[in-house]
Structure formats: C-alpha cells, structure tokens
Amino acid sequence: MARSVLLTGAGGRVGQAILRDLGEAHDWRLLDREPLPRGKLPDGIDNSDVYVSDVTNKQAVKEAVRGCEVIIHLAGDPRPNAPWESVLRNNIDGTQTVLEAAVEVGVEKVAFASSNHAVGFYEDERKPDLYRDHDEFRLDGTELPRPTNLYGVSKATGETLARYYHDEHDLSVVCVRIGNLTESHPPRNYERGQAMWLSYTDCAHLFDCCVKADYGYEIVYGISDNDRKYYDIEPTRRVLGYEPRDNSAEYHLDGTPKDEFDE
Amino acid sequence: MARSVLLTGAGGRVGQAILRDLGEAHDWRLLDREPLPRGKLPDGIDNSDVYVSDVTNKQAVKEAVRGCEVIIHLAGDPRPNAPWESVLRNNIDGTQTVLEAAVEVGVEKVAFASSNHAVGFYEDERKPDLYRDHDEFRLDGTELPRPTNLYGVSKATGETLARYYHDEHDLSVVCVRIGNLTESHPPRNYERGQAMWLSYTDCAHLFDCCVKADYGYEIVYGISDNDRKYYDIEPTRRVLGYEPRDNSAEYHLDGTPKDEFDE
C-alpha cells in the first residue's frame, strides 16, 4: 500500500537509490538543501511536494512533515571526515529538528539513516580477519557506540535522540546503520567495503520495509547478504521483513561479476 | 600526590562538593561562566588560576587546560528540563570543546560528569520496586542509553564523544553517571532519590579517585552505597578504587538520621 512519505536528503546517494526503485511505490515528499534537478526527481512528482530547505529550519521542516505518515530521514553531512561544527548542526541539531517535528505533527514512524561509522572501532582488534567469510564475529545493534570519527558520533547521537523520542513520545523509529552503498557492483579491492556492501536494490527494498513494517524502537544493520559480513542482519530480517538479494561474494575482489555463482 | 587539575563548572553543586573536601588536595584551576565569589573558592587559590569563560569558547578553554594533568569536566546546563538549544550548545558542544582541547594540549585524563538521566527510562518497567532493598535489578554502565529528557541525551552524547576521543586519541576518560547529590542528608520522602543518593563526602572521594586512578575508557555510576541502589557500583570500586562511606538507609524516609544504624 502506498504511504505518504517524506524523504529528507532526497538528492543524496541513499535517497537516489530509494527513489530509483520506489519512485512510484509511495506518495513522496522530498526535502533537500539544494534544488533537485529533474533527473533526481521521480516521474510525475508535483512541484509542491519538493521542499528546498536546511534540515535545521524548524518551520520549513514542520511544513514538510505535516500530513506525512512516515519520514525517511537521511539529510545531514555525509562525509566521514566532516568537521565537528557541520555534524553538530546538520546531523545532530538537524535530526532533533526532524524528530521534534514528527512528534508535534503526529507522524507515525521514522526511519533514521545511521551509519557503520557509529561502531567502527569494534573492528580494530579483529581486522582484517573480521572482513572474511570464516570469521564468526557479529555486531548486532545491542553494542554501545564506538565511533571512528565525529560523523559517527553524530549518528550515534541521532540514535540516542530517537530512543528518547520513542520512549517519551511513543514515536516509532528504526535506526538503520547503513553499510557501504554502491551501485551495480561492490566496492573494488576493498574487503571492508565488500563486507558491508549495500546494493542499490537492497537499499530501496530495505527502506520500503521501514515504511511498511511495524516496530517500536530498533537499531538494525543495513547491508546486503554478503558472505563476508560482520554485521548481523537477522534482526533486520526479523524486525522489518528484510529479504536481501545481493551478496558481494557474487563479484570478484576487483568488482567484476563472477560468471557463475552458486551458493 | 597532588595533581594539577582543571575543574570546569567549579561553581556548581558537584564542583562545590569536590572543593569542600579536596580544596587543598590538588593544585586547582577553576573555570566557570560566572565569576566565583570568595566563598566558592578554595583557600589560597591564586586569581590567575580562576577562568571566567563559556565552556564553548575554544581559545579560553585551551588556555585553561594548558599545563593541567587532569580535567574534571562538570560544566554544562544542569537542568533536567533544559531546552534543546541550551544542552546542544553548553553540554554537547561544550564537552567536545573540552575533549578536543585535552587532546591538543596533551592532558592525561578526563573525568566527565554524566548523569542518571542518560538511562532514566530503564526504570519505567520496574518502579517503584526498583527503588527498594529487595529488588536485585542493576544497571552497570554496559547498557545502551535511554534518556528521560534532552539533558540526558546530551550527557549520553558526551559519553560517546569521550569514547571517540579515547579510541582515536588515546585519551583516558571516565564517565561518571552521577546520582542525586545532596548535602548532609538524602533527598526527603523520595525513594528514587534515596536509591541514587550521592553524599557530598562520597562525591568528593569519588572524583579524587578519578584524578588518581589509571583507566582507559569507563562508564561508572556515582552513588553512595545505598541499600536501595539499582546502579551497580562494583565497577566504580574496581576501576577507581571507590570506597563509599554513606548509605541512605542510615536515614529515615524524611531525611532525619536513624539513631543507631547497624549494617
């Protein structure tokens, strides 16, 4: 069933992966800080459903949120090396602005784009074994954050904000720790990226699940079903009904597809 | 052994509890956003060791930090109902400013005043049993934050920032989730407050331990040894050598001391 969904940060990579496959699946409102060129808009979207605003602008965000059933909140500075001032404003303050507006306006649920960078330091002691098929270590979302950078701190803070808005205001929120999103093939010659690959197809499907599923508060990992994975995606399957189709093991290390791939 | 210690938020309640007992134990530098009246200063402190500055002022904080071995970072908006704008600035940005300065200047360790409000929502399902002697439930610092307010979100964020500065920059940090600090007797007719009471004496001793002990990164609870407790203080004992002397069970519910108290 098509839902009324606000997508913040619609012009970014995750937003575009979602719109590529789901452009006609939901009634979209799009928000981005930059005007979106026609090529980044789903076919047939009405101009009045496209908002150009900073995500920290309370009034503009509230207007964009009003009447929506679900928010997919992606907006923020996506650079792992972004300076503190930028993530403080765009990622931390911006996420509070969106969650506050969601509660005020009475939105049903929010999917929040968190990141693998919120927990990157767990890898230090086990890499590179961690990135290989035989290693059984898994992170599952119950672990405390160990961010690798201030961007990761900002994403962990978004998760904590979401926890508060759920506990205090009964807002349903799923935080998706997104892996390494690339189109058409996994990252090349980069074991870590292949371990946490998220294909465009699986990304769109995953956020479609976030729109449709029922949940209270959850932290899940958003990656394809990679043999190399060290993030547990059983909770993602269980909570959201996620059924990934891709696996970086179907590609050689250099990114070319294997001719035949039998699991 | 006396250490050179910067105390931020020196004029607040926790700062004053520390200085009451430890005024002569260390070489203090004090920072507060307000000028400190003589009654709030330890005897014999030099004027040049007192800094009046906002904790988000990078330059002023760096000057105050330079030459110190340890920081006790208490500064921030202490109101549980503080608005987002204030905790974003004073507590989140302020803590990043202090940790960044600590790393730049080469400080050895930081004790960060976190709060019970970072985990307040764990109580909902078990209260009021949780606050009574017979209840065995304990939080121990390994649990994910569940803040009761935006102030609690800001304190959980300080813990995550500290984790990052430890992992990335090898700064030693202990985050102390402070209970309910009152002088001379536990909170009156308030079971929750008595469960998490921290006496002035135990508070000063606890932060003295933070100055002296060796640690990497830790989250511990800072309360007296109350019979009613639902915070585990074994980690506080083990990590810091904390030996609390007070217990709210030595007082009646109305705050008057029991004539005889035998454990």
Side-chain angles (χ1 to χ4, degrees), chain B residues 219-245:
Chain B
I219 297 173
V220 299
Y221 283 96
I223 59 171
S224 290
D225 191 13
N226 310 308
D227 286 356
R228 289 180 179 275
K229 66 179 165 288
Y230 57 94
Y231 297 146
D232 190 353
I233 57 171
E234 285 314 308
T236 324
R237 294 180 193 270
R238 191 178 61 243
V239 168
L240 300 174
Y242 176 54
E243 293 176 2
R245 285 167 37 183

Side-chain angles (χ1 to χ4, degrees), chain B residues 133-191:
Chain B
D133 298 11
H134 60 82
D135 195 284
E136 298 291 325
F137 180 80
R138 296 284 184 275
L139 295 169
D140 66 3
T142 60
E143 57 282 341
L144 284 167
R146 291 190 66 179
T148 1
N149 41 49
L150 293 166
Y151 166 79
V153 171
S154 76
K155 289 298 179 180
T157 300
E159 295 176 356
T160 305
L161 277 162
R163 176 87 242 190
Y164 164 71
Y165 280 94
H166 171 69
D167 281 339
E168 178 70 20
H169 298 287
D170 213 24
L171 183 67
S172 297
V173 189
V174 60
C175 305
V176 183
R177 290 185 180 156
I178 297 172
N180 198 324
L181 178 70
T182 59
E183 201 170 359
S184 67
H185 62 77
R188 289 191 169 116
N189 301 312
Y190 178 38
E191 289 184 281

Side-chain angles (χ1 to χ4, degrees), chain B residues 91-165:
Chain B
N91 300 13
I92 296 179
D93 193 24
T95 298
Q96 194 272 344
T97 304
V98 167
L99 293 169
E100 185 73 35
V103 165
E104 269 187 62
V105 163
V107 162
E108 191 182 306
K109 53 192 160 187
V110 176
F112 167 61
S114 186
S115 167
N116 65 84
H117 291 277
V119 289
F121 262 111
Y122 283 101
E123 296 166 36
D124 259 28
E125 291 141 26
R126 299 180 70 95
K127 67 188 181 188
D129 273 5
L130 185 72
Y131 309 137
R132 295 177 182 165
D133 298 11
H134 60 82
D135 195 284
E136 298 291 325
F137 180 80
R138 296 284 184 275
L139 295 169
D140 66 3
T142 60
E143 57 282 341
L144 284 167
R146 291 190 66 179
T148 1
N149 41 49
L150 293 166
Y151 166 79
V153 171
S154 76
K155 289 298 179 180
T157 300
E159 295 176 356
T160 305
L161 277 162
R163 176 87 242 190
Y164 164 71
Y165 280 94

Side-chain angles (χ1 to χ4, degrees), chain A residues 58 84-85 88 92-93 96-97 100 121 124 141-150 152-153 156-157 160-161 163-168 177 219, chain B residues 58 84-85 88 92-93 96-97 100 121 124 141-150 152-153 156-157 160-161 163-168 177 219:
Chain A
K58 289 186 204 311
W84 172 245
E85 287 68 24
L88 180 68
I92 296 178
D93 193 23
Q96 194 272 344
T97 304
E100 185 73 33
F121 261 112
D124 260 27
T142 60
E143 57 282 339
L144 285 167
R146 290 189 66 179
T148 1
N149 41 50
L150 292 167
V153 171
T157 301
T160 304
L161 277 163
R163 176 87 242 189
Y164 163 71
Y165 279 94
H166 171 70
D167 282 338
E168 178 70 19
R177 289 183 180 158
I219 297 172
Chain B
K58 291 186 202 310
W84 173 245
E85 287 67 26
L88 179 69
I92 296 179
D93 193 24
Q96 194 272 344
T97 304
E100 185 73 35
F121 262 111
D124 259 28
T142 60
E143 57 282 341
L144 284 167
R146 291 190 66 179
T148 1
N149 41 49
L150 293 166
V153 171
T157 300
T160 305
L161 277 162
R163 176 87 242 190
Y164 164 71
Y165 280 94
H166 171 69
D167 281 339
E168 178 70 20
R177 290 185 180 156
I219 297 173

